[in-house]
């Protein structure tokens, strides 16, 4: 029997916990700063209104109405659409596998913060001493035994949460973790803005370059940030909303989730770039020289900033990596639940059996990411699964729903229990604006990867872990679609809103 959220607050905290992930802390500030600074906020907010909130409303409505995760929801809309649901589920499965490794790094660095174990050269410490990084994604170099203990600990915690279920596991964890996350972020921001040079960092982040708005790439970057940040397009919000009571106001819920997520992005960005400004002042260089994207910012650049602080270095380090750790855990359980829901809804298996089906193979495969090649593999897989996999899933979803299904029916479903109604603009933004922009992203990203590869990696690395990952997702989505499910899993009359524990 299906679980159900204990309250709307529990659902919102879980949804916000999923959306507020690692990328909010390290990706958004850099994307904004390198795409026009303060001017980036204009396409960013435009993308929120025309893509982020409309897609959230769409997925909340579909999940609640059809009472299932992505595969069965799409199958109940049209049995030929089921493959898309499994495509989204397999994307989540891949992300979950490498997300474990990043959380392991965060947990380790919480410990390192007490003594600043990274020393005077955090880059060398991270790549050589900590990861034992090899020169190729295909040169595994063996399992890094120093990562085994935190790796097993993260797996045990994740498995415990998942086996407890939606209401007793995920909801409870998010109610505990989200307030702690925001408290840690508040400490980071307060400490950051009180440091010398903080203004320089904030100027780098927010100073508008209006000429950047003429660049189509800036607008594409804004839509990309919204898409990845809100966990839309790869089954998470469909899964979470499938556990909602029928009377839930999905329109209001979408606005609350988006507002909380994007507010947190900007708030965390203030803290991160205040520190970058201080670091630039100490080194006598520009903020741009010390600001790096992604993993480099979190595990190579920021430890240098922590060590350079005049006081309370350990506390600041624990807060920063603790915030990353908590954001990672709340996102990880949402990603895993997407896959679990897919198996539970289609096949005749209990929740705990579905968890086992998902956790065992993902546990085995995730060992790849604690080998010497782990970070190289992670970098390639993450780029391809996000920039091609998720965007493709989103475009296909919008085309199928807005052009081959009665989207007006979903609009009426969304408005039925909402405090304020959405008009037909909602359908047109999804059908035209968002579809076109995401379509441009697929074309640009695919052309770039085919012509120039990615990140300077060898073509063999790209073919195996980049295009190979996309092929893996496509093939397994097809296999799971063709497998026989429980009788009547596509039938609408099987939907029940009564909670049975």
């Amino acid at each position: 029997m299906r679980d159900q959220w204990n309250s709307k607050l529990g659902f919102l905290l879980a949804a916000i916990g999923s959306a507020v992930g690692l990328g909010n802390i390290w990706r958004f500030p850099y994307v904004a700063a390198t795409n026009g600074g303060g001017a980036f906020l204009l396409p960013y907010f435009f993308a929120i209104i025309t893509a982020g909130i409309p897609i959230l409303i769409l997925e909340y409505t579909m999940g609640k109405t059809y009472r299932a995760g992505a595969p069965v929801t799409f199958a109940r809309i049209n049995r030929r659409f089921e493959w898309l649901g499994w495509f989204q589920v397999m994307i989540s499965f891949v992300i979950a596998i490498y997300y474990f490794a990043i959380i392991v790094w965060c947990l380790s660095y919480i410990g390192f913060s007490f003594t600043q174990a990274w020393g005077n050269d955090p880059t060398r410490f991270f790549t050589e001493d900590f990861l034992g990084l090899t020169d190729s994604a295909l040169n595994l170099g063996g399992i890094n035994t120093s990562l085994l203990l935190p790796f097993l600990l993260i797996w045990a915690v994740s498995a415990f949460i998942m086996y407890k279920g939606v209401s007793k596991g995920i909801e409870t964890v998010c109610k505990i973790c989200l307030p702690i996350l925001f408290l840690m972020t508040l400490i980071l921001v307060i400490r950051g803005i009180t440091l010398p040079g903080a203004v320089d960092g904030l100027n780098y982040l927010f100073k508008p370059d209006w000429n950047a708005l003429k660049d189509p790439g800036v607008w594409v970057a804004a839509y990309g940030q919204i898409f990845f940040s809100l966990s839309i397009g790869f089954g998470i919000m469909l899964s979470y909303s499938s556990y909602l009571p029928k009377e839930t106001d999905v329109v209001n819920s979408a606005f609350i989730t988006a507002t909380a997520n994007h507010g947190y992005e900007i708030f965390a960005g203030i803290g991160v770039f205040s520190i970058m400004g201080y670091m630039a002042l100490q080194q006598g260089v520009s903020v741009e020289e010390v600001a790096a994207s992604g993993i480099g910012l979190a595990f190579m650049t920021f430890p240098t900033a922590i060590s350079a602080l005049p006081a309370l270095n350990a506390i600041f380090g624990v807060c920063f990596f603790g915030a990353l750790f908590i954001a990672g855990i709340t996102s990880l359980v949402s990603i895993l639940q997407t896959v679990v829901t897919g198996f539970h809804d289609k096949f005749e298996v209990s929740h705990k059996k579905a968890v086992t089906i998902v956790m065992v193979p993902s546990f085995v495969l995730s060992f790849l990411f604690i080998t010497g090649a782990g970070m190289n593999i992670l970098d390639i897989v993450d780029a391809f699964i996000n920039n091609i996999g998720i965007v493709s899933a989103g475009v296909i979803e919008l085309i199928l729903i807005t052009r081959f299904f009665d989207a007006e029916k979903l609009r009426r479903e969304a408005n039925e229990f909402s405090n304020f109604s959405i008009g037909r603009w909602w359908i047109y933004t999804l059908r035209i604006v968002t579809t076109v922009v995401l379509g441009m992203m697929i074309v640009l990203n695919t052309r770039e990867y085919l012509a120039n590869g990615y990140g300077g990696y060898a073509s063999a690395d790209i073919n195996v872990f980049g295009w190979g990952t996309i092929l893996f997702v496509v093939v397994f989505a097809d296999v799971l679609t063709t497998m026989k499910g429980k009788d009547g899993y596509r039938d609408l009359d099987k939907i029940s809103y009564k909670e049975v524990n």
Side-chain angles (χ1 to χ4, degrees):
M1 294 295 183
R2 287 189 123 257
D3 203 346
Q4 186 168 293
W5 301 107
N6 288 320
S7 64
K8 180 180 176 180
L9 175 62
F11 161 71
L12 287 173
L13 288 175
I16 293 168
S18 174
V20 174
L22 298 169
N24 295 67
I25 300 174
W26 73 38
R27 188 177 189 271
F28 169 76
Y30 184 80
V31 171
T34 55
N35 284 278
F40 178 78
L41 295 180
L42 180 62
Y44 175 73
F45 288 124
F46 185 78
I48 292 173
I49 299 300
T50 60
I53 293 174
I55 294 177
L56 268 182
I57 294 172
L58 173 67
E59 296 195 343
Y60 282 177
T61 303
M62 289 166 60
K64 189 195 74 164
T65 301
Y66 294 97
R67 193 77 172 153
V72 174
T73 286
F74 284 112
R76 285 173 174 169
I77 291 174
N78 186 315
R79 63 191 308 154
R80 291 176 297 178
F81 294 175
E82 184 181 333
W83 177 86
L84 173 59
W86 285 115
F87 183 63
Q88 294 184 349
V89 163
M90 289 308 301
I91 288 172
S92 291
F93 178 77
V94 170
I95 294 173
I97 292 171
Y98 68 75
Y99 229 72
F100 276 101
I102 302 175
I103 299 173
V104 167
W105 302 345
C106 295
L107 180 61
S108 299
Y109 268 70
I110 291 174
F112 296 155
S113 296
F114 288 99
T115 61
Q116 284 88 67
W118 46 75
N120 296 323
D121 191 350
T123 298
R124 182 195 60 78
F125 175 83
F126 179 66
T127 57
E128 297 180 22
D129 299 347
F130 181 58
L131 295 181
L133 189 64
T134 62
D135 59 356
S136 166
L138 293 174
N139 179 14
L140 298 182
I143 293 175
N144 189 336
T145 54
S146 65
L147 298 179
L148 272 178
L149 183 58
F151 174 79
L152 295 174
L153 178 61
I154 297 301
W155 266 102
V157 170
S158 302
F160 176 79
I161 295 170
M162 296 307 299
Y163 278 117
K164 295 293 286 184
V166 170
S167 59
K168 296 180 181 178
I170 295 174
E171 182 174 345
T172 300
V173 167
C174 288
K175 283 181 176 178
I176 296 171
C177 287
L178 264 293
I180 297 174
L181 172 62
F182 292 126
L183 177 61
M184 286 183 166
T185 307
L186 177 63
I187 294 172
L188 291 175
V189 172
I190 292 174
R191 185 68 183 111
I193 62 177
T194 56
L195 290 170
V199 173
D200 295 330
L202 295 179
N203 283 338
Y204 178 71
L205 176 60
F206 290 117
K207 184 179 179 180
D209 176 11
W210 300 113
N211 288 327
L213 298 182
K214 301 175 184 178
D215 181 2
V218 171
W219 292 80
V220 170
Y223 275 83
Q225 177 62 25
I226 295 299
F227 211 72
F228 306 142
S229 175
L230 281 175
S231 300
I232 50 182
F234 54 111
I236 292 178
M237 294 308 178
L238 276 171
S239 172
Y240 268 15
S241 58
S242 72
Y243 299 98
L244 284 171
K246 183 178 177 61
E247 295 77 15
T248 304
D249 180 348
V250 293
V251 176
N252 190 40
S253 297
F255 275 89
I256 292 173
T257 303
T259 301
N261 175 71
H262 301 310
Y264 178 82
E265 278 188 327
I266 295 174
F267 188 62
I270 292 172
V272 169
F273 271 85
S274 293
I275 300 298
M276 293 298 99
Y278 170 76
M279 187 175 170
L281 179 65
Q282 295 297 306
Q283 297 180 359
V285 298
S286 68
V287 177
E288 187 173 7
E289 289 183 57
V290 299
S293 177
I295 294 171
L297 172 62
F299 297 101
M300 290 181 269
T301 305
F302 223 83
T304 302
I306 293 169
S307 295
L309 291 175
L312 304 176
N313 311 67
I315 293 176
F316 191 83
V318 169
C319 285
F320 177 73
F321 290 109
L324 289 179
F325 175 77
I326 293 173
I329 287 290
T330 56
S331 293
L332 175 62
V333 294
S334 71
I335 297 167
L336 288 169
Q337 185 60 41
T338 302
V339 190
V340 169
T341 302
F343 281 92
H344 172 74
D345 288 343
K346 178 171 180 176
F347 305 105
E348 198 70 50
V349 293
S350 65
H351 171 79
K352 290 185 176 180
K353 186 173 181 179
V355 170
T356 302
I357 291 171
V358 173
M359 295 294 282
V360 171
S362 54
F363 173 75
V364 174
L365 289 172
S366 63
F367 273 95
L368 270 176
F369 298 95
I370 61 169
T371 64
M375 192 176 80
N376 292 328
I377 299 172
L378 188 155
D379 189 24
I380 296 170
V381 172
D382 179 66
F384 275 75
I385 207 70
N386 277 282
N387 296 327
I388 294 180
I390 293 179
V391 179
S392 298
V395 169
I396 297 171
E397 176 181 311
L398 294 179
I399 291 173
L400 292 181
I401 296 301
T402 62
R403 297 186 181 276
F404 298 96
F405 180 70
D406 184 8
E408 176 62 24
K409 176 182 177 182
L410 290 176
R411 189 178 74 88
R412 291 194 299 268
E413 291 281 356
N415 288 335
E416 184 177 1
F417 297 103
S418 297
N419 292 328
F420 59 95
S421 299
I422 51 171
R424 292 189 62 83
W425 63 267
W426 176 72
I427 297 175
Y428 294 123
T429 54
L430 294 175
R431 178 181 293 173
I432 301 172
V433 179
T434 310
T435 302
V436 169
V437 174
L438 295 182
M440 287 176 55
M441 288 179 62
I442 295 174
V443 172
L444 293 174
N445 291 335
T446 303
R447 185 175 64 184
E448 173 66 18
Y449 291 159
L450 287 173
N452 303 314
Y454 169 73
Y457 293 100
S459 58
D461 295 354
I462 296 296
N463 290 335
V464 172
F465 294 108
W467 298 112
T469 296
I470 300 300
L471 180 63
F472 170 83
V473 169
V474 170
V475 169
F476 272 87
D478 187 61
V479 170
L480 290 165
T481 301
T482 57
M483 289 177 65
K484 179 178 173 56
K486 63 185 178 183
D487 292 339
Y489 75 91
R490 299 188 187 98
D491 298 339
L492 296 182
D493 58 4
K494 300 294 182 181
I495 298 176
S496 172
Y497 284 91
K498 183 179 180 181
E499 179 181 356
V500 181
N501 292 319

